[in-house]
Amino acid sequence: MTATRQLPPAASPLNMGEPDGLGFFGEFGGRYVGEPLIGACQEVEEAFIDAWADPGFRDEFLHVLNTYGGRPSPTTECDNLGEQLGLRLLLKREDLNHTGSHKINNVIGQALLAKRMGKTRLIAETGAGQHGVATATAAALLGMSCTVYMGEVDMRRQALNVFRMRLLGTEVVPAMSGSRTLKDAVNEAMRAWVSEVGDTHYCLGSVMGPHPYPWMVRTFHEVIGTEARQQVMDLTGGLPDVAVACVGGGSNAAGLFAGFADDPEVRLVGAEPAGGAAAGRGVPAIVHGMRAYFMQDEVGQILEAESISAGLDYPGLGPEHSHLAVTKRAEYHPVTDDEVLEAFQLLSRTEGIIPALESAHAIAWVANNAAELQGQTVLVNLSGRGDKDVEQVQEILER
Amino acid sequence: MTTASVAAPERSLQSYLTERAGRGKLLMPYVTAGVTPDWLELVDAVIDAGADAVEIGIPFSDPAIDGTTIQEATVVALEAGMTPAAALQQLKSRRFGVPLIAMTHYNLVYRYGHERFAADLVAAGGWATILPDLPFEHAGEWIAAADAEGIENVLLAAPVTSDERLAMVVEKTGGFVYVVSTMGTTGARAGVDSAATVLARRVKSITDKPAVVGFGISSAETAVTAAREADGVIVASALMRRVLDGATVEDAAQLVAEIRAGLDAAYATQDL
């Protein structure tokens, strides 16, 4: 490990660079949407390229993240759990952001972009409710109206987040089709966008969907990896051996990985829910506007993911992650719901940090693999806090 | 309607529709494969009722482009076990007097295998595909495989499609130009957007290919309005609504007959 590296330049890192002109990372990505949405995607792409090249926009983005979102989030060294597991454990504390997860980075970016585009309304899909709450928050902050689509099953699982969104002045619309979870909320949001594209920006919540979303959302989250890289160097004098994040669609992992993608000595690990392991069990498919790994049956019908965490309850893996999986720059491993519940309690007990069930997947992978990680420096992106999950976990544990 | 020759390889949906459009407005009903056990009878019935071609919807688990009615038909068909292979196999068991056009989401074609899907579609009586989530930028592989079997790939044009892009859609489309009447998803509506009229006029001003309006055709009246600047209409959700509400094959096909009669009455005496 070297301690002399400079921070990555402002431009996108090489291994997670810009997609090609059609929005592909290698063979994944693209813009597989109906003709009514082509123009809307092009408009977002042009606006994003223009805004991101504008230092004024980037200053405003960082200013809001810092003064409103609570950035930079710290990196915490976890001596207790690290000692127990026999490794040096560092947590990037996205759980300390305003609204309780990394999601705020992306929504602030997109909401500022939507304003710049002259849009007055945001729509979004949400799984666990974290992205919905974050979008509702950004809409309130910037004086925009907001509608969030949420699977009817998820609305029951995350009733408190539904109330939070309504409190923030957002309309929450149940997605009643299919499995009534995140993938169906995406379908509903895309349908709504088609009808309302004139004044509405679709604030997509993960590194998925049609170009430019996977690229744009990762770019807004790169602040995670950029900060973490410097913080780990400050704390340890070097780079971590492993950077770990949970992966549903993959936005927090993309943000973390971007900070280390060009450091070949840093192993990048995505922890997938075993019931939604798109990298492990999926094959390439064209769904939700992109070519990416999806769990599907033998004829190409998309399967329903099953996970204890609504936020990872998605049968696909974003196109850039699909590409990183194929090129083997990153690796993706499943963890089971039981292992996640263990990790949820383990981190709470040893460090006084209650993680989101999503983030507990990353902790679970570290705990599972402690034997091979002995003595290594392991950086985990703690993407969100677990307040939203304690009731659900209580029910499970006391059942 | 008389029975057209459907013999490969000289078949061309564009030529066929152009010829038909010279005699009256085109009418293309849509039937979701597997929406009822007797869906093949429904296909026959809508042909008897005056369809110039029939769109066969192959149900997909995540129909992002479709409105509530087609979603509902999709769920019913999937729960009944319908698959792409079964749909093509069942169609192959009959002979239909008009061209069939497969409409589905691209993933099912991709997963089936481009060459195999094209070959099996021809064997099933298919002349063309409509894959709304496959824009022409990404369609190269499918079009190559489809071309080899004489299958045409129909592209969609939307009211927001720019002039520059519309020119490319019109150039690259096979069979006809699918004119999306409104900025919503598929679904029957009380009225048809004037956007459809404007778009159909834009299309017809730059091409001789047939322009057919879809999305929102619910009755003879909306069909007559939508067809004013176009060569014909597609009726999908309104037909599937009847079927889902329990209509018999005859009652469902009656909607197609009414639209046929409405179009013929409104346009029969005009120079087309």
Side-chain angles (χ1 to χ4, degrees):
Chain A
M1 278 187 292
T2 56
T4 53
R5 282 171 171 275
Q6 298 297 304
L7 272 176
S12 293
L14 293 175
N15 283 302
M16 295 179 70
E18 292 180 11
D20 71 16
L22 291 176
F24 283 90
F25 300 94
E27 58 182 303
F28 299 100
R31 183 178 282 156
Y32 293 89
V33 296
E35 206 58 37
L37 283 182
I38 292 279
C41 290
Q42 283 172 341
E43 186 189 2
V44 174
E45 180 190 358
E46 283 161 20
F48 172 65
I49 290 171
D50 178 70
W52 203 243
D54 175 0
F57 178 84
R58 290 169 73 149
D59 284 351
E60 188 185 11
F61 171 58
L62 284 176
H63 177 76
V64 177
L65 286 187
N66 292 345
T67 62
Y68 182 77
R71 301 210 73 89
S73 67
T75 290
T76 302
E77 174 135 29
C78 295
D79 292 332
N80 303 333
L81 183 53
E83 198 170 311
Q84 186 176 325
L85 296 175
L87 46 84
R88 190 163 186 185
L89 180 64
L90 300 167
L91 299 186
K92 176 59 174 165
R93 301 293 305 281
E94 293 297 296
D95 60 316
L96 295 179
N97 292 339
H98 183 43
T99 72
S101 79
H102 70 290
K103 295 286 188 187
I104 194 79
N105 306 326
N106 171 46
V107 300
I108 293 294
Q110 287 200 48
L112 289 172
L113 185 71
K115 271 268 183 191
R116 190 180 161 105
M117 292 165 73
K119 307 285 180 180
T120 56
R121 183 160 174 271
L122 297 177
I123 57 171
E125 82 295 337
T126 196
Q130 294 300 91
H131 175 59
V133 168
T135 307
T137 300
L141 175 69
L142 296 178
M144 305 174 85
S145 68
C146 183
T147 300
V148 170
Y149 296 87
M150 188 170 187
E152 194 254 343
V153 169
D154 291 340
M155 285 181 74
R156 277 190 273 116
R157 284 200 287 196
Q158 299 287 346
L160 207 54
N161 269 342
V162 174
F163 178 70
R164 277 195 189 96
M165 286 184 266
R166 288 179 174 153
L167 199 61
L168 290 159
T170 280
E171 177 194 16
V172 183
V173 175
M176 303 296 291
S177 59
S179 56
R180 288 171 290 152
T181 61
L182 180 55
K183 80 181 177 81
D184 311 288
V186 173
N187 290 333
E188 282 306 320
M190 289 183 82
R191 287 185 193 110
W193 196 28
V194 172
S195 325
E196 299 152 9
V197 73
D199 64 350
T200 299
H201 174 72
Y202 179 19
C203 186
L204 223 162
S206 192
V207 285
M208 48 157 291
H211 179 58
Y213 283 98
W215 172 45
M216 177 172 72
V217 174
R218 180 257 287 167
T219 303
F220 287 139
H221 280 307
E222 278 177 23
V223 64
I224 301 171
T226 305
E227 284 176 10
R229 190 172 188 282
Q230 185 65 58
Q231 288 165 336
V232 172
M233 300 231 297
D234 290 346
L235 279 166
T236 70
L239 290 166
D241 296 295
V242 192
V244 191
C246 65
V247 174
S251 69
N252 89 82
L256 182 74
F257 290 0
F260 301 95
D262 290 340
D263 299 311
E265 63 270 48
V266 180
R267 187 179 166 197
L268 305 177
V269 176
E272 296 189 299
R281 292 165 53 192
V283 290
I286 294 91
V287 191
H288 291 158
M290 60 181 169
R291 185 174 192 276
Y293 275 101
F294 271 88
M295 300 203 317
Q296 52 187 316
D297 71 10
E298 67 283 359
V299 307
Q301 310 293 3
I302 304 307
L303 297 175
E304 295 168 12
E306 278 174 37
S307 165
I308 191 171
S309 74
L312 302 183
D313 220 344
Y314 185 68
L317 177 71
E320 193 169 28
H321 284 298
S322 297
H323 178 59
L324 291 171
V326 165
T327 62
K328 300 196 189 306
R329 178 62 193 93
E331 46 193 291
Y332 300 84
H333 300 293
V335 291
T336 66
D337 285 354
D338 286 345
E339 291 163 348
V340 169
L341 278 171
E342 277 298 317
F344 181 88
Q345 298 169 80
L346 180 66
L347 188 68
S348 302
R349 207 165 52 230
T350 56
E351 296 291 342
I353 297 170
I354 301 175
L357 280 171
E358 290 77 15
S359 321
H361 284 69
I363 301 291
W365 181 83
V366 175
N368 288 349
N369 294 277
E372 65 160 306
L373 299 171
Q374 288 301 297
Q376 297 191 15
T377 300
V378 179
L379 171 66
V380 170
N381 194 27
L382 202 76
S383 56
R385 59 176 173 248
D387 308 33
K388 68 184 174 60
D389 299 317
V390 288
E391 197 182 344
Q392 183 193 350
V393 172
Q394 182 189 19
E395 260 174 44
I396 294 169
L397 294 180
E398 293 179 356
R399 177 157 74 191
Chain B
M1 289 283 145
T2 55
T3 299
S5 165
V6 294
E10 67 273 17
R11 70 183 193 282
S12 153
L13 183 62
Q14 187 183 325
S15 305
Y16 167 88
L17 293 177
T18 302
E19 191 270 322
R20 285 251 171 162
R23 289 186 269 149
K25 295 292 185 181
L26 301 170
L27 176 55
M28 300 188 199
Y30 165 102
V31 175
T32 299
V35 66
T36 55
D38 58 358
W39 69 279
L40 291 170
E41 274 78 50
L42 181 62
V43 175
D44 276 332
V46 298
I47 293 169
D48 289 343
D52 295 292
V54 182
E55 289 182 19
I56 305 296
I58 301 177
F60 179 54
S61 56
D62 289 73
I65 193 88
D66 291 317
T68 50
T69 301
I70 303 297
Q71 285 178 57
E72 199 181 323
T74 294
V75 168
V76 168
L78 288 174
E79 283 177 354
M82 185 50 66
T83 65
L88 296 178
Q89 198 62 40
Q90 290 174 35
L91 288 169
K92 193 180 168 185
S93 69
R94 303 201 175 193
R95 299 192 74 78
F96 298 97
V98 304
L100 303 182
I101 303 165
M103 182 164 185
T104 191
H105 286 63
Y106 175 53
N107 194 51
L108 295 183
V109 175
Y110 173 74
R111 193 71 203 273
Y112 201 100
H114 292 140
E115 286 76 17
R116 198 162 71 90
F117 188 85
D120 287 359
L121 182 57
V122 168
W127 291 42
T129 51
I130 303 170
L131 305 171
D133 64 343
L134 184 65
F136 61 76
E137 290 92 333
H138 300 331
E141 280 182 49
W142 164 241
I143 288 176
D147 273 351
E149 295 286 349
I151 292 284
E152 289 153 274
N153 186 56
V154 179
L155 296 175
L156 288 76
V160 285
T161 304
S162 66
D163 286 341
E164 187 189 4
R165 193 173 171 88
L166 187 63
M168 291 161 89
V169 166
V170 159
E171 185 206 320
K172 292 170 188 294
T173 192
F176 63 96
V177 182
Y178 191 128
V179 174
V180 177
S181 65
T182 170
M183 286 305 289
T185 49
T186 56
R189 289 174 178 80
V192 176
D193 270 75
S194 62
T197 309
V198 174
L199 178 57
R201 196 180 296 141
R202 285 172 65 204
V203 170
K204 293 308 289 181
S205 73
I206 58 170
T207 186
D208 293 331
K209 291 179 181 176
V212 183
V213 176
F215 288 33
I217 312 298
S218 59
S219 62
E221 194 188 350
T222 49
V224 167
T225 306
R228 187 162 298 137
E229 299 284 340
D231 297 298
V233 296
I234 292 160
V235 55
S237 292
L239 180 60
M240 288 301 95
R241 186 73 266 153
R242 285 203 179 186
V243 173
L244 290 165
D245 288 345
T248 61
V249 164
E250 292 70 29
D251 286 346
Q254 181 58 29
L255 175 68
V256 177
E258 285 164 16
I259 294 175
R260 176 80 270 164
L263 288 172
D264 288 349
Y267 295 103
T269 57
Q270 290 184 20
D271 251 358
L272 287 159

